[in-house]
Amino acid sequence: MMSFAPLSSEPRSQVDDPSSLVMRFGAHEPLMMDAGIALAPWQIAYQTYGTLNADKSNAVLICHALTGDQHVANDNPVTGKPGWWLTMVGPGKPVDTNRFFVICANVIGGCMGTTGPASTDPAAGRPYALDFPVVTIRDMVRAQAALIDKLGIESLFCVVGGSMGGMQVLQWAASYSTRVFAALPIATAARHSAQNIAFHEVGRQAVMADPEWRGGRYLIEGTRPSKGLAVARMGAHITYLSEMALHRKFGRNFQDRAAPTFSFDADFQIESYLRYQGISFVERFDANSYLYVTRAMDYFDIAAEHGGSLAKAFKGSATRFCLISFTSDWLFPTSDSRAIVHALNAAAASVGFVEVESDKGHDAFLLEEPEMFAAVRGFIDAAARVRGIA
Amino acid sequence: MTVSSLPATDLETGHRLDFLLVADMVEPGSRVLDIGCGDGSLLGILRDRRGVDGRGIEISREGVNACLAKGLPVIQGDADTDLADYPDDAFDYVILSQTIQATRQPRVVLEHLLRIGRRAIVSFPNFGHWRVRFDLGFRGRMPMTENLPYSWYDTPNIHFCTIRDFVELCREVGAQMEKAVALNAGGQPIRVTLPWWAWNLLGDQGVFLLKRR
């Protein structure tokens, strides 16, 4: 049997009024979404680190992955845990906050202070739920661009991100090539694969099959589809790891017992680990947001926007690219990165690419990977020299 | 036989003499692809001295990371498999420096070079050099020199050729030799007045500037 921690006292506090900076856009500044909807008013929650230099040339935008948030290098206000990319971002780190002005924003459709399905619809006075328009990666990037405009930054020195964050990096480079000096997409793809769409669909069906989901109206009806969302997370979590990493960490070891119980308790360590991952996830994430952001990844296909040619998306781009993939990543395998590299080569763009040897699967980009840090540091430092950033 | 551990370098700049020779063959400001670019030394020379827009392919992670740190756009890849993805006439020059002997299909690779670049520059260790012939002929041992520093059992080099063999391959694939230089072990060009057989005997490496016929 699964058991869950009691609901936190006010799960929506971070949704409308987050513990971070927030840029608010009024009725006259709508976000024009791919679904054909002009969203207004809307807001985007973000964090910044470091100082913007006088000519505003040292801004680095970090794009977060599926269930990440803007708290990239500070303690997370919900979980109390350190920022999700503290290994990469900070003073003296590869993305050095002593030199760069780092910005990280919560994506549109998210649940950490940027307008999403859990946000209060001002017209109705209740959460949007499924009345929220379906979001795309391009919408996320459009929202970030609006934020960057408001911050008075014309051109970003570098846009960095892994996984869904890497998709945003590619979209930035394709949509706003003149505003991106350097782009660093990590463990990502220019389109979501059928296999990955399939995994996402399983996750969404788990959420929607939870009777507490109530057709998406759970916040209005005072319930919470915690079990469905936890199952979705458990499934997804497996795809972030690798067989080798799972085996090394858990093997077939039992949890707190010497022999099987001949029941459906969490006999194996891996089971209890996944249950823990599922439970801790529902405490910090909104179920409808999960549906929306997974959908955004599913729809992502940059080539499709350009008549099926990925090279066309980057034609004439002056952006310096560096791609990184991981040998054991089967969610976004190296072949996905290579397809982007080939397209960038065909488009005569400047591109570097390295495949990092790791047995940690897709999650490697969030973990201690010295080769990745070396590549990121080398690429960013070299680009900063060209850009004239001290 | 004494074997120096480092390739011959220019005393003033520390650059390898064969790299400087190759760089001199490249028109300033052109677009160059360096296949098997190692740590990016040649690409760096081309960028700094010839104002070249250079790209690289390198199979080793360490090499790629070294290149990225120099700000050189280099991708991790394999000459044997990746060249097919490059469009025709994508570069002014494609350089294959001390790499052809490590490819599985040297002929196919050479054909790709001539397709992708308007010109190709190929340098390789000459297996016809007298020291190689001496090691094999008189000592009965597989040769080791500064350009061939590996034992026979752990060498990445699988397709050695002599200068004469390479000239024959160029003829077969229809490549026109615009320049051909043999370098001695000191990295100095051998006098052009010497006949081919002398190049093949005295040349430590061959450097060829090729063009599609």
Side-chain angles (χ1 to χ4, degrees), chain A residues 55-208:
Chain A
D55 57 357
K56 299 183 177 181
S57 65
N58 70 334
V60 174
L61 177 69
I62 309 269
C63 302
H64 71 72
L66 183 68
T67 63
D69 52 41
Q70 67 272 39
H71 302 286
V72 59
N74 55 265
D75 285 355
N76 191 292
V78 177
T79 63
K81 289 180 181 164
W84 58 269
W85 225 5
L86 206 53
T87 50
M88 185 68 88
V89 182
K93 305 277 174 66
V95 180
D96 188 349
T97 51
N98 289 332
R99 301 174 70 194
F100 306 116
F101 178 61
V102 174
I103 307 158
C104 184
N106 184 223
V107 296
I108 195 88
C111 53
M112 285 293 280
T114 303
T115 306
S119 304
T120 305
D121 175 357
R126 54 173 167 69
Y128 280 102
L130 296 196
D131 290 336
F132 197 72
V134 164
V135 168
T136 64
I137 299 290
R138 199 156 56 173
D139 292 331
M140 295 175 180
V141 167
R142 243 181 237 128
Q144 290 163 353
L147 168 66
I148 300 303
D149 284 340
K150 282 260 180 172
L151 294 174
I153 296 165
E154 173 53 35
S155 159
L156 293 164
F157 163 60
C158 190
V159 186
V160 190
S163 197
M164 186 180 88
M167 291 177 164
Q168 295 160 52
V169 175
L170 293 170
Q171 188 70 61
W172 260 99
S175 298
Y176 306 97
S177 78
T178 58
R179 300 187 67 180
V180 181
F181 184 77
L184 193 35
I186 302 172
T188 194
R191 65 173 178 203
H192 214 216
S193 70
Q195 176 175 271
N196 290 354
I197 294 170
F199 281 126
H200 276 175
E201 176 60 3
V202 171
R204 284 190 294 265
Q205 288 298 331
V207 170
M208 295 191 279

Side-chain angles (χ1 to χ4, degrees), chain B residues 100 105-115 120 122 165-177 210-213:
Chain B
I100 196 165
Q105 301 196 70
R107 183 183 166 136
V108 175
V109 168
L110 186 59
E111 283 168 343
H112 277 309
L113 301 192
L114 294 162
R115 177 184 65 78
V122 182
D165 289 328
F166 187 76
V167 169
E168 177 60 22
L169 179 63
C170 288
R171 200 187 56 75
E172 280 181 31
V173 302
Q176 182 186 331
M177 282 188 283
L210 308 172
K211 196 183 161 188
R212 258 171 275 162
R213 211 180 276 280

Side-chain angles (χ1 to χ4, degrees), chain A residues 320 322 338 341-342 345-346 348-357 371 374-375 378-379 382 385, chain B residues 31 53 55-56 61-62 64-65 68-78 82 85-87 91:
Chain A
R320 307 159 68 95
C322 178
R338 280 202 183 279
V341 169
H342 292 153
N345 271 324
S350 167
V351 54
F353 164 64
V354 66
E355 182 187 28
V356 171
E357 176 97 43
E371 271 184 27
F379 173 73
R385 281 197 299 278
Chain B
R31 264 173 67 75
D53 178 14
R55 307 291 155 82
R61 251 178 291 277
E62 306 76 56
V64 175
N65 272 337
L68 293 178
K70 290 175 185 160
L72 297 165
V74 168
I75 64 169
Q76 193 176 8
D78 184 339
D82 293 2
D85 297 315
Y86 284 80
F91 291 90

